[in-house]
């Protein structure tokens, strides 16, 4: 199993540009999550999904959209990037014992 | 979900036991205590969790006080690779998304 993978690993955007971050898991997990982590801080939840076709807002959802068209994929979109969205983005999925498995992260810089 | 309080940083000598404390004085009866760690630049990694009883696995032991207001994560023989930020999290195991709320964690430095 590859576990949780994230694409891309690094990205630099200019203010106002858009992009989509892809998260994929091969463990057949229902629950998936997107977090962001700013320097020296803990992770904060952006959006999550409890199953295919469903999404919900987390702690810091503004400026982001998500989609879960397939069970194994959870996409995070930035429609108009801002410097405040410079961060490391982590995706996770949850197993039936409530353990969360995290991907390696995507480092995003918005100039 | 209950909040947790952890020391900002700790040092430990290689080969010694690392004891990481966590206070969760407002924990409710059906909330679990979870520990994750984050090695530099990587995604967080699950370590262990418990409700009331002490727990042990191949990575660590978790000691929960009888009143459940605090707990200690024990790494029995710390190695340099255990240098990481350790997060103590409490939350309910239900089907409402199970959002993990990460605080600042404890930065553990294992020294030779």
């Amino acid at each position: 199993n590859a576990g949780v993978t994230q694409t891309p690993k690094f990205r630099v955007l200019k203010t106002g540009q858009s992009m989509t971050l892809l998260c994929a898991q091969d463990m057949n997990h229902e629950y998936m999550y997107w977090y962001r982590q700013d320097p020296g801080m803990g992770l904060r939840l952006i959006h999550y999904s409890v199953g295919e076709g469903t999404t919900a807002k987390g702690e810091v959802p503004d400026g982001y959209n998500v989609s879960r068209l397939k069970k194994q994929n959870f996409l995070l979109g930035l429609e108009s990037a801002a410097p405040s969205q410079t961060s490391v983005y982590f995706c996770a999925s949850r197993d039936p014992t409530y353990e969360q498995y995290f991907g390696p992260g995507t480092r995003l810089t918005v100039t | 979900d209950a909040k947790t309080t952890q020391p900002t940083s700790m040092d430990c000598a290689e080969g010694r036991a690392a004891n990481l404390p966590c206070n969760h004085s407002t924990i409710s009866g059906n909330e679990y205590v979870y520990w994750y760690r984050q090695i530099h630049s990587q995604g967080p990694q699950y370590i262990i969790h418990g409700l009331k009883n002490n727990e042990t696995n191949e990575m660590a032991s978790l000691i929960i006080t009888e009143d459940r207001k605090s707990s200690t994560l024990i790494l029995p023989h710390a190695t340099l690779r255990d240098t990481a930020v350790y997060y103590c999290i409490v939350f309910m195991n239900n089907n409402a998304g199970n959002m993990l709320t990460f605080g600042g964690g404890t930065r553990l430095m294992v020294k030779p």
Side-chain angles (χ1 to χ4, degrees):
Chain A
N1 287 350
V4 178
T5 58
Q6 293 182 233
T7 310
K9 289 185 171 55
F10 303 92
R11 186 71 186 269
V12 179
L13 288 179
K14 294 186 177 179
T15 297
Q17 288 185 318
S18 63
M19 77 163 295
T20 300
L21 282 67
L22 171 64
C23 175
Q25 53 98 0
D26 60 2
M27 296 173 282
N28 203 36
H29 292 166
E30 293 290 343
Y31 290 74
M32 296 186 73
Y33 307 81
W34 275 107
Y35 295 86
R36 63 175 285 174
Q37 185 173 34
D38 299 325
M41 307 285 286
L43 280 72
R44 292 184 293 169
L45 184 69
I46 305 171
H47 285 279
Y48 67 97
S49 168
V50 301
E52 182 178 318
T54 70
T55 63
K57 294 181 179 180
E59 181 186 358
V60 289
D62 294 342
Y64 305 94
N65 57 74
V66 287
S67 64
R68 185 97 181 269
L69 299 179
K70 293 183 178 180
K71 186 177 185 179
Q72 63 268 35
N73 296 335
F74 195 27
L75 279 63
L76 177 71
L78 286 73
E79 294 177 343
S80 180
S84 61
Q85 294 178 305
T86 293
S87 191
V88 181
Y89 291 85
F90 289 102
C91 175
S93 67
R94 195 206 86 184
D95 74 7
T97 68
Y98 300 91
E99 179 182 339
Q100 291 197 16
Y101 296 79
F102 286 81
T106 294
R107 293 185 175 276
L108 176 65
T109 301
V110 183
T111 62
Chain B
D1 292 335
K3 291 186 177 180
T4 62
T5 304
Q6 299 176 252
T8 304
S9 64
M10 293 181 65
D11 290 344
C12 178
E14 188 178 18
R16 296 294 189 110
N19 297 285
L20 290 87
C22 179
N23 285 324
H24 32 78
S25 58
T26 59
I27 192 171
S28 63
N30 53 0
E31 286 184 312
Y32 285 71
V33 180
Y34 277 72
W35 283 83
Y36 281 76
R37 73 179 182 184
Q38 188 174 24
I39 297 171
H40 181 63
S41 298
Q42 299 179 21
Q45 174 191 25
Y46 166 84
I47 302 173
I48 198 167
H49 75 280
L51 182 63
K52 296 179 182 178
N53 300 322
N54 298 338
E55 302 288 343
T56 295
N57 62 20
E58 64 278 4
M59 290 183 68
S61 295
L62 175 61
I63 309 298
I64 302 174
T65 58
E66 192 169 344
D67 63 7
R68 302 208 326 121
K69 293 185 177 182
S70 66
S71 60
T72 301
L73 178 74
I74 301 173
L75 308 179
H77 305 287
T79 70
L80 299 178
R81 287 177 294 182
D82 291 322
T83 291
V85 178
Y86 287 77
Y87 296 98
C88 170
I89 302 164
V90 294
F91 75 111
M92 273 186 282
N93 282 348
N94 56 33
N95 285 319
N98 291 116
M99 294 175 276
L100 292 178
T101 301
F102 288 80
T106 296
R107 186 171 297 275
L108 176 68
M109 180 72 72
V110 180
K111 298 184 175 181

